[in-house]
Amino acid sequence: MSNIPTYKKKYLLIDGNYFAHRVIHGFMITKPEFTLDSKQDQYNFETMLNNSLVTLYKSFNNDFHRLIDNLIFVFDHKSWRKSVYYADNTDTSKQNTLFRPYYIDENSTESLGYKDNRKDLKDSNDINWDAFDSCLNNFKNSINKTLASLNFEGAEGDDNLFLLTEELKKENILSIIFCTDGDLNTLVDDYTIILKNTKSNKSPNGEFVISENIYNQLFKEKAVLEKMLGSNF
């Protein structure tokens, strides 16, 4: 068991698409009539995005503690996965077919497009998703003036987070990823932890995903998780 690194800095990495969906679903719960069709709805959504960002930042840095040194947003932008095709030259019937994701059975008739299965989730409510994208773009442009963000064509937030955590690790910087995607658990190590703010009966206050080494050292000493983000390091 190795010692926990002495971090030079701590950065909060925010999955921007998760952040925006979290905000809009909050609206949908409290205001079922909310659809983003009207200019007022769109204005309210963009205002709430900004307010939620301030609230999130103040939960880490406020008059009582300073837990992070900076924050970085990442966003999806036309994933390269949507243009991956079969490369089997022996079967011409597959050459122009989108590659089948690993989680879809070979005999399944389900759509092969990357994340096509998620379209049903969008179709199940009345949100104007074109307006959602427009509002999110406005939010991206507004924060780009003052905050660091990664958003380039061909990359999803996951791709950017992988790149960021690897580079920040080289600089001895702790990455705290704000997301809910279980696939990102693979990034967790002594330099990367995940904060999931999704509350449940099992985790009423959300949860942290940390490396086994960090867990053993923190709880071996009967320390609380906040110690990791405090001045001890």
Side-chain angles (χ1 to χ4, degrees):
M1 183 170 63
S2 60
N3 292 328
I4 299 174
T6 301
Y7 307 112
K8 183 168 63 176
K9 291 183 178 180
K10 310 177 197 73
Y11 285 3
L12 177 65
L13 311 184
I14 303 173
D15 181 335
N17 291 77
Y18 159 66
F19 176 81
H21 278 87
R22 179 172 172 268
V23 170
I24 201 168
H25 284 294
F27 262 118
M28 291 165 61
I29 292 173
T30 58
K31 296 182 178 181
E33 71 279 9
F34 179 79
T35 63
L36 275 180
D37 283 327
S38 69
K39 293 295 183 181
Q40 186 63 52
D41 276 0
Q42 294 166 26
Y43 172 80
N44 290 341
F45 178 46
E46 290 185 30
T47 299
M48 194 60 186
L49 285 170
N50 288 302
N51 291 343
S52 296
L53 172 56
V54 173
T55 299
L56 178 61
Y57 178 81
K58 286 186 175 179
S59 68
F60 285 87
N61 289 355
N62 52 51
D63 292 338
F64 302 99
H65 51 241
R66 182 177 178 82
L67 304 179
I68 59 173
D69 298 286
N70 207 341
L71 58 84
I72 303 174
F73 267 90
V74 301
F75 295 98
D76 295 343
H77 192 166
K78 297 180 181 178
S79 174
W80 59 270
R81 296 166 180 81
K82 292 185 178 181
S83 59
V84 175
Y85 290 84
Y86 277 101
D88 185 355
N89 294 324
T90 63
D91 187 346
T92 57
S93 66
K94 288 185 176 182
Q95 289 178 3
N96 296 317
T97 303
L98 284 172
F99 189 79
R100 183 185 300 275
Y102 72 90
Y103 51 81
I104 296 180
D105 184 81
E106 183 176 352
N107 297 317
S108 173
T109 58
E110 186 174 350
S111 174
L112 299 182
Y114 180 64
K115 293 187 179 179
D116 274 358
N117 58 318
R118 298 188 186 180
K119 291 179 181 178
D120 293 338
L121 296 177
K122 288 189 174 184
D123 293 339
S124 65
N125 56 60
D126 297 324
I127 293 296
N128 182 335
W129 292 106
D130 288 333
F132 172 88
D133 291 337
S134 178
C135 291
L136 184 55
N137 281 330
N138 290 339
F139 176 70
K140 293 177 189 176
N141 292 333
S142 67
I143 66 172
N144 279 341
K145 299 174 183 177
T146 54
L147 299 175
S149 67
L150 280 184
N151 174 37
F152 52 91
E153 187 169 350
E156 288 193 31
D158 292 10
D159 303 313
N160 293 327
L161 288 170
F162 174 77
L163 172 64
L164 274 174
T165 53
E166 288 297 305
E167 291 303 312
L168 293 176
K169 188 186 307 182
K170 297 175 184 177
E171 300 298 323
N172 206 29
I173 295 174
L174 173 69
S175 297
I176 307 162
I177 303 178
F178 183 71
C179 70
T180 190
D181 190 347
D183 290 344
L184 292 174
N185 289 354
T186 58
L187 300 183
V188 171
D189 57 25
D190 286 356
Y191 288 88
T192 304
I193 67 176
I194 291 178
L195 167 59
K196 297 184 178 181
N197 201 38
T198 303
K199 299 179 181 180
S200 63
N201 291 333
K202 182 178 179 181
S203 304
N205 297 312
E207 62 181 294
F208 281 93
V209 183
I210 59 177
S211 71
E212 182 178 2
N213 180 49
I214 288 176
Y215 174 86
N216 288 335
Q217 295 206 41
L218 288 178
F219 291 95
K220 177 182 178 182
E221 300 172 2
K222 297 182 179 180
V224 294
L225 187 58
E226 285 80 357
K227 172 184 176 182
M228 182 180 177
L229 303 178
S231 59
N232 304 68
F233 296 91

